[in-house]
Amino acid sequence: MSYLPEVQTTSIATETSSDVFVRGKSLCQDLIGKLSFTEMLFFQILGRSATAAEIAMVDACLVTLVEHGLTPSAVATRLIYSSSPDAMQGAVAAGLNGVGSLFAGTTEGCASVLADLLDAEDGLEPAAERIVAEYRAALRPIPGFGHPTHEPDVPRSIRLFEIAHEQGVAGRHVEAVHVLSAAIDRGSGKHITINATGAIAATLGDCGVPAEIMRSFALISRCAGLVGHVHEEQQKPALRAIWEAADRAVPYDGESG
Amino acid sequence: MSYLPEVQTTSIATETSSDVFVRGKSLCQDLIGKLSFTEMLFFQILGRSATAAEIAMVDACLVTLVEHGLTPSAVATRLIYSSSPDAMQGAVAAGLNGVGSLFAGTTEGCASVLADLLDAEDGLEPAAERIVAEYRAALRPIPGFGHPTHEPDVPRSIRLFEIAHEQGVAGRHVEAVHVLSAAIDRGSGKHITINATGAIAATLGDCGVPAEIMRSFALISRCAGLVGHVHEEQQKPALRAIWEAADRAVPYDGESG
Amino acid sequence: MSYLPEVQTTSIATETSSDVFVRGKSLCQDLIGKLSFTEMLFFQILGRSATAAEIAMVDACLVTLVEHGLTPSAVATRLIYSSSPDAMQGAVAAGLNGVGSLFAGTTEGCASVLADLLDAEDGLEPAAERIVAEYRAALRPIPGFGHPTHEPDVPRSIRLFEIAHEQGVAGRHVEAVHVLSAAIDRGSGKHITINATGAIAATLGDCGVPAEIMRSFALISRCAGLVGHVHEEQQKPALRAIWEAADRAVPYDGESG
Amino acid sequence: MSYLPEVQTTSIATETSSDVFVRGKSLCQDLIGKLSFTEMLFFQILGRSATAAEIAMVDACLVTLVEHGLTPSAVATRLIYSSSPDAMQGAVAAGLNGVGSLFAGTTEGCASVLADLLDAEDGLEPAAERIVAEYRAALRPIPGFGHPTHEPDVPRSIRLFEIAHEQGVAGRHVEAVHVLSAAIDRGSGKHITINATGAIAATLGDCGVPAEIMRSFALISRCAGLVGHVHEEQQKPALRAIWEAADRAVPYDGESG
């Protein structure tokens, strides 16, 4: 632990006997009733006020990620909620543990590639060619690209880029993802769509969200999505249906130890 | 498990090859770019569109709960993040496990008391007298009331009730919490403030949020708050400072086993 | 928080530059290579050395709880592991969040009933009659009793009581659970079995495990069980099979918001 | 998801109306009362019975990892338990989320290096020289080596290797870690100790535990350790002491957003 400082401060908040101060602002005077939740979470995470255009973009990205049906995270949350109904926080926590490398990780991965592109000294296009060649040589897919069913382009990505342009948010990251996309198409000889995780990485990047905290927007959004599943599990419990279905889908094969 | 149905449906979402449908609406056509995140989470959880006044109220409650400084949940998230920096989802999940009975539980508890009051056949005031007498006899505090330092009233509660009246949201739950407050003051012979959890229970109650899912608004809000702590931990790591402080604050007493 | 002390000590452990001391014993000299894991966890949790008979009993209870196939917790762990394969700790944490009131809670609930019985001033039999009458009046099942398929008695319970008698561990708690069982049979006019959670509550109770920490033995045991599912998920991934089965078992009903 | 099979089986367990079968063995007939918990967890995870020597070794490793005092995981568990005392499973889950790359990850990392060494076609010593050179060129520490205070060698590692030799468990992995250690000492010109994570990686490796599940033994062991902290938190609550210490150790610096 010797590389970590022994003394540290926080810039986030302090509680006084009459108020809470968040990054220098009074919760009661400056924030409650003044900021939307999206404005507040942007301020909390990034430490600055967002523009109206940035908020429109962040809202669009958060709305995109809320819900995809009975995903692994949603199933886990519903099973854990019905097992421990006194502690819905544990059910939501269980589902959020699934917002990892397979799903949210591609957003973060794409954001890292875009950051590399934008840092490259040889310019966007040569850097894009180089990166595409490296991934092809390693037989690795570039995060943020490709979708099994949406042809030719993912509708969610189209909408997110439309909003980025309407709001005037589209900047270097959106440009970079399209330069990269063109290089990918040339490299593979066919069109490979920018998927929703790629569009989110680019549009949130142009709102100033760095790659290392990109995954957190999926966490906040899915938290709300998972709560919806908890509430439906309260009203229409699916525990037994899912449990029995899982049991039938993965039968015991009797291989002895 | 025999009391749970074997067959169940979901009304939340389905994914098609070209879109996601959430409660009958197209994610791409009807939701992305049309709804704020707060509108979307209300729709996801409660299954109906909110009015603009309800959204203003929900925003105010969510903003209120985001941040209170280095709370136990925030400390847990920071310690776990620095221990497992590859998996920020686990750090946020760890902190959310602390949004339980001690903190968020009082919101839920107050909402249950308000629901009992509003269901009482003998009218609000007699029911409030009865409930206050029951809690006093059991020496239990009524959830949603009292604060160690804020005199005479908690500023956050004042703001939330102001917004409820400005927005025209204030209804039966806000009335009930004030009837209950008056009964508490009569019973104890002094003024005991409605605290922030009581104000949130009443104002979200008037937005149609039932008691059984009330705690989830704290989960969504604190999720964003905890992400802020993860991001600060990335920039100003406090692991070592907290670890050493905890170690000194709780010394080993050498009592042998 | 004013009811909690500002100053506190720990009796568990301290680390020095050359060793770790756990409850006054040297990890290197006294514990590693001297204690089995079961002896160590008993010492860690209860703060005293266990007898050989107690260890045999605790081993039997821990072995009983490791595995029950694709339970909700195991399914949640497998789904989360395959979603976030870089962080197996999050997958195990997700599954452990399901060791709650529905499953482990009945062990804790039965232990509380046994503690009440043993504390009763009117003697075991009258107290058992009284408790059975109270639960019947409230239409509540007594935790630790009943099983949908095992007739007349649950084989796991039979084995656990056999071991308690063989090892000489059986004492007041085992006596109490049988007195309670007889009262339940008289009250209901038929034989209702002591299930595994009841047998564990009684036999661990006779090893000195108090009700308030009873649930933790299920946590430790299921932790090992869930790890087995992580390892199988690495070798025979079931994510897709479970996901698709859940999706089919809980279809979208198209009810609009 | 297209790379995952749609059809899958499990070899772990099935429940019948009268028993549970784990990897082909009857829980009631073959396992309860016959196996220690360590034997059972080895059987559950690795799918085969362990030898007595392997169990002695696994016990020693599990005992080593149970407890290190108020570690970040233990602090997180205590804070979350006192915040959500109704759900101890969430507190243990919170702490386990910290058994990640910083701590348990070095065991896994060392196990991977040992696996590479043992797979190398050029023999142990040349492969060790090559790996040491690679890590030195990359300025990366080799996982499993080095300790800030223990000189010349970590006592826990010494004990674990003693047990490996006494029990006749020491094999190719223990040999490999010592060959690697010698290469490290030559490369750095001084003695760098094999730390406890290195000793565990080698000795569990010689028990047949593969690198990809190595981290799980830390999870099981720390689960028991964290339960001890929950139980002490019930008896000697440290929430307030830790909270206030953390608050003082990381003061608000008032930097505005």
Side-chain angles (χ1 to χ4, degrees):
Chain A
M1 295 289 85
S2 54
Y3 59 97
L4 286 177
E6 279 182 71
V7 176
Q8 196 47 282
T9 61
T10 179
S11 307
I12 294 183
T14 193
E15 193 169 9
T16 68
S17 64
S18 63
D19 206 346
V20 176
F21 287 86
V22 181
R23 299 186 177 281
K25 292 189 188 297
S26 154
L27 184 58
C28 293
Q29 303 302 317
D30 304 325
L31 303 173
I32 299 174
K34 305 288 173 63
L35 263 52
S36 73
F37 180 47
T38 305
E39 290 169 328
M40 180 69 187
L41 70 88
F42 192 99
F43 180 62
Q44 162 78 0
I45 299 169
L46 296 179
R48 67 168 173 89
S49 297
T51 65
E54 286 170 336
I55 291 303
M57 194 72 244
V58 173
D59 269 330
C61 289
L62 290 171
V63 167
T64 300
L65 291 165
V66 166
E67 186 54 52
H68 282 78
L70 283 172
T71 57
S73 277
V75 171
T77 286
R78 294 180 78 130
L79 293 174
I80 299 301
Y81 178 73
S82 278
S83 301
S84 302
D86 302 334
M88 78 165 63
Q89 69 273 12
V92 173
L96 287 185
N97 265 309
V99 182
S101 48
L102 192 60
F103 301 107
T106 54
T107 311
E108 192 173 305
C110 183
S112 293
V113 172
L114 297 181
D116 288 346
L117 264 181
L118 291 166
D119 285 346
E121 294 183 357
D122 50 350
L124 271 186
E125 294 214 14
E129 293 291 338
R130 184 168 37 79
I131 287 171
V132 169
E134 286 167 9
Y135 274 82
R136 288 184 66 84
L139 299 175
R140 292 173 55 205
I142 296 185
F145 288 85
H147 195 281
T149 58
H150 292 326
E151 298 272 350
D153 280 307
V154 173
R156 281 169 281 168
S157 302
I158 297 171
R159 278 298 288 135
L160 290 169
F161 287 127
E162 281 174 2
I163 293 165
H165 287 293
E166 286 165 17
Q167 296 289 341
V169 163
R172 298 169 67 233
H173 293 81
V174 168
E175 183 191 356
V177 83
H178 282 101
V179 169
L180 183 62
S181 175
I184 289 171
D185 287 0
R186 281 193 301 276
S188 61
K190 63 177 176 178
H191 179 56
I192 295 178
T193 187
I194 304 173
N195 63 34
T197 65
I200 288 168
T203 56
L204 287 185
D206 276 337
C207 294
V209 177
E212 72 262 23
I213 202 68
M214 188 67 75
R215 183 183 300 202
S216 70
F217 287 79
L219 285 167
I220 297 167
S221 176
R222 299 315 296 268
C223 183
L226 294 173
V227 164
H229 286 277
V230 167
H231 194 35
E232 187 170 82
E233 188 72 15
Q234 292 175 334
Q235 299 170 315
K236 304 205 251 183
L239 173 68
R240 195 176 169 200
I242 296 171
W243 188 354
E244 293 185 354
D247 213 35
R248 277 193 303 271
V250 186
Y252 181 59
D253 57 26
E255 290 177 14
S256 62
Chain B
M1 294 290 82
S2 55
Y3 59 95
L4 286 177
E6 280 182 69
V7 177
Q8 195 49 281
T9 60
T10 180
S11 307
I12 294 183
T14 193
E15 192 169 11
T16 68
S17 65
S18 63
D19 205 345
V20 176
F21 287 85
V22 181
R23 299 186 178 283
K25 292 191 188 296
S26 155
L27 184 58
C28 293
Q29 303 301 318
D30 304 325
L31 302 172
I32 299 174
K34 305 287 173 62
L35 263 52
S36 73
F37 179 46
T38 306
E39 289 169 330
M40 180 69 187
L41 69 88
F42 192 100
F43 179 63
Q44 162 79 358
I45 298 170
L46 295 179
R48 67 169 173 88
S49 297
T51 65
E54 287 170 335
I55 290 304
M57 194 72 243
V58 173
D59 269 330
C61 290
L62 290 171
V63 167
T64 300
L65 292 165
V66 166
E67 187 52 52
H68 282 78
L70 281 172
T71 58
S73 278
V75 171
T77 286
R78 293 180 78 130
L79 293 174
I80 299 302
Y81 177 72
S82 278
S83 301
S84 301
D86 302 334
M88 78 164 63
Q89 68 273 11
V92 173
L96 287 183
N97 264 308
V99 182
S101 45
L102 192 62
F103 301 107
T106 56
T107 310
E108 191 174 306
C110 184
S112 294
V113 172
L114 297 182
D116 288 347
L117 265 180
L118 291 167
D119 285 346
E121 294 184 356
D122 51 350
L124 270 187
E125 295 213 13
E129 293 291 340
R130 185 169 34 80
I131 287 171
V132 169
E134 287 167 8
Y135 274 81
R136 286 183 67 83
L139 298 176
R140 291 174 52 204
I142 297 186
F145 289 85
H147 194 278
T149 58
H150 292 326
E151 298 272 348
D153 280 307
V154 173
R156 279 169 281 166
S157 302
I158 297 171
R159 279 298 289 135
L160 290 169
F161 288 127
E162 281 174 2
I163 293 166
H165 287 292
E166 286 166 17
Q167 296 289 340
V169 163
R172 298 169 66 232
H173 293 81
V174 168
E175 183 190 357
V177 84
H178 283 101
V179 169
L180 183 61
S181 175
I184 288 171
D185 287 359
R186 282 192 301 276
S188 61
K190 62 177 178 179
H191 179 57
I192 295 177
T193 187
I194 305 172
N195 63 34
T197 66
I200 287 168
T203 55
L204 287 185
D206 276 336
C207 294
V209 177
E212 74 260 23
I213 201 68
M214 187 68 73
R215 180 182 302 202
S216 70
F217 287 78
L219 286 167
I220 297 167
S221 176
R222 300 315 297 269
C223 183
L226 295 173
V227 164
H229 286 277
V230 167
H231 194 36
E232 189 171 79
E233 188 72 14
Q234 292 174 334
Q235 298 169 315
K236 303 204 253 182
L239 173 67
R240 194 175 169 202
I242 296 172
W243 187 354
E244 292 184 355
D247 213 35
R248 277 192 304 270
V250 187
Y252 180 59
D253 57 25
E255 290 179 13
S256 62
Chain C
M1 294 290 84
S2 54
Y3 60 97
L4 286 177
E6 280 182 71
V7 177
Q8 195 49 280
T9 61
T10 180
S11 307
I12 294 183
T14 193
E15 193 168 11
T16 68
S17 64
S18 63
D19 205 346
V20 176
F21 287 85
V22 181
R23 299 185 178 283
K25 292 190 189 297
S26 154
L27 185 58
C28 293
Q29 303 302 317
D30 304 325
L31 303 172
I32 300 174
K34 305 286 173 64
L35 262 53
S36 73
F37 180 47
T38 306
E39 290 169 329
M40 179 70 186
L41 68 89
F42 192 98
F43 179 62
Q44 161 78 359
I45 299 169
L46 296 178
R48 67 168 175 88
S49 297
T51 65
E54 287 170 335
I55 291 303
M57 194 72 246
V58 173
D59 269 330
C61 290
L62 290 172
V63 167
T64 300
L65 292 165
V66 166
E67 187 52 53
H68 283 79
L70 282 172
T71 58
S73 277
V75 171
T77 287
R78 294 180 77 130
L79 293 174
I80 299 301
Y81 178 72
S82 277
S83 302
S84 301
D86 301 334
M88 78 164 64
Q89 68 272 14
V92 173
L96 287 184
N97 264 309
V99 182
S101 47
L102 192 61
F103 301 107
T106 55
T107 311
E108 191 173 307
C110 184
S112 293
V113 172
L114 298 182
D116 288 347
L117 264 180
L118 291 167
D119 285 346
E121 294 183 356
D122 50 350
L124 271 187
E125 294 213 13
E129 293 291 339
R130 184 168 37 78
I131 287 171
V132 169
E134 287 168 8
Y135 273 82
R136 288 182 66 83
L139 299 174
R140 290 173 55 205
I142 296 185
F145 289 84
H147 195 280
T149 58
H150 290 325
E151 298 271 352
D153 280 307
V154 173
R156 281 169 281 169
S157 302
I158 297 171
R159 278 297 288 133
L160 291 169
F161 288 127
E162 282 174 2
I163 293 166
H165 287 291
E166 287 166 17
Q167 296 288 342
V169 162
R172 298 168 68 231
H173 293 81
V174 168
E175 183 191 356
V177 83
H178 283 101
V179 169
L180 184 62
S181 176
I184 288 170
D185 287 1
R186 281 194 300 276
S188 61
K190 62 176 177 181
H191 179 56
I192 296 177
T193 187
I194 304 172
N195 63 35
T197 66
I200 288 167
T203 56
L204 287 185
D206 276 337
C207 294
V209 177
E212 73 261 23
I213 202 69
M214 189 66 76
R215 181 183 301 202
S216 70
F217 287 78
L219 285 168
I220 297 167
S221 176
R222 300 315 297 268
C223 183
L226 294 173
V227 164
H229 286 277
V230 168
H231 195 36
E232 187 171 81
E233 188 73 14
Q234 292 174 333
Q235 299 169 315
K236 302 204 251 181
L239 173 68
R240 194 176 170 200
I242 296 172
W243 187 355
E244 292 184 355
D247 212 37
R248 277 192 304 270
V250 187
Y252 181 59
D253 58 26
E255 290 179 14
S256 62
Chain D
M1 293 292 83
S2 53
Y3 60 95
L4 287 176
E6 280 182 70
V7 177
Q8 194 49 279
T9 61
T10 179
S11 307
I12 294 182
T14 193
E15 192 169 10
T16 68
S17 65
S18 63
D19 205 346
V20 176
F21 287 85
V22 180
R23 299 188 178 282
K25 292 192 188 296
S26 155
L27 184 59
C28 292
Q29 303 303 317
D30 305 324
L31 302 172
I32 300 174
K34 306 286 173 65
L35 262 53
S36 73
F37 180 46
T38 306
E39 290 169 329
M40 180 69 187
L41 69 89
F42 192 99
F43 180 61
Q44 162 78 359
I45 299 169
L46 296 180
R48 68 169 174 87
S49 297
T51 65
E54 286 169 335
I55 290 302
M57 194 72 244
V58 173
D59 269 330
C61 289
L62 290 171
V63 167
T64 300
L65 292 165
V66 166
E67 186 52 52
H68 283 77
L70 282 173
T71 57
S73 278
V75 171
T77 286
R78 294 181 78 131
L79 293 174
I80 299 301
Y81 177 73
S82 277
S83 302
S84 302
D86 301 335
M88 79 165 64
Q89 69 273 11
V92 173
L96 287 184
N97 264 308
V99 182
S101 45
L102 192 60
F103 302 107
T106 54
T107 311
E108 191 173 306
C110 184
S112 294
V113 172
L114 297 181
D116 288 347
L117 265 180
L118 291 167
D119 286 346
E121 294 184 356
D122 50 350
L124 272 186
E125 295 214 14
E129 294 291 338
R130 184 170 34 80
I131 287 171
V132 169
E134 287 167 8
Y135 274 81
R136 287 182 66 82
L139 299 175
R140 292 174 53 205
I142 296 186
F145 288 84
H147 195 280
T149 58
H150 291 325
E151 299 273 348
D153 280 307
V154 173
R156 281 169 279 169
S157 302
I158 297 171
R159 279 298 288 136
L160 292 168
F161 288 127
E162 281 174 4
I163 293 166
H165 287 291
E166 286 165 18
Q167 295 290 341
V169 162
R172 299 169 67 233
H173 293 80
V174 168
E175 182 190 357
V177 83
H178 283 100
V179 168
L180 183 62
S181 175
I184 289 171
D185 287 359
R186 280 193 300 275
S188 61
K190 62 175 178 182
H191 179 57
I192 295 177
T193 186
I194 304 173
N195 63 34
T197 65
I200 288 168
T203 56
L204 287 184
D206 276 336
C207 294
V209 177
E212 73 261 24
I213 202 68
M214 188 68 73
R215 180 183 303 202
S216 70
F217 287 78
L219 285 167
I220 297 167
S221 176
R222 300 314 298 267
C223 183
L226 295 173
V227 164
H229 285 277
V230 167
H231 194 36
E232 188 171 79
E233 187 72 14
Q234 292 175 334
Q235 299 169 315
K236 303 204 251 182
L239 173 69
R240 195 176 168 202
I242 295 171
W243 187 353
E244 292 184 355
D247 213 35
R248 277 192 304 271
V250 186
Y252 181 59
D253 57 25
E255 292 178 13
S256 62

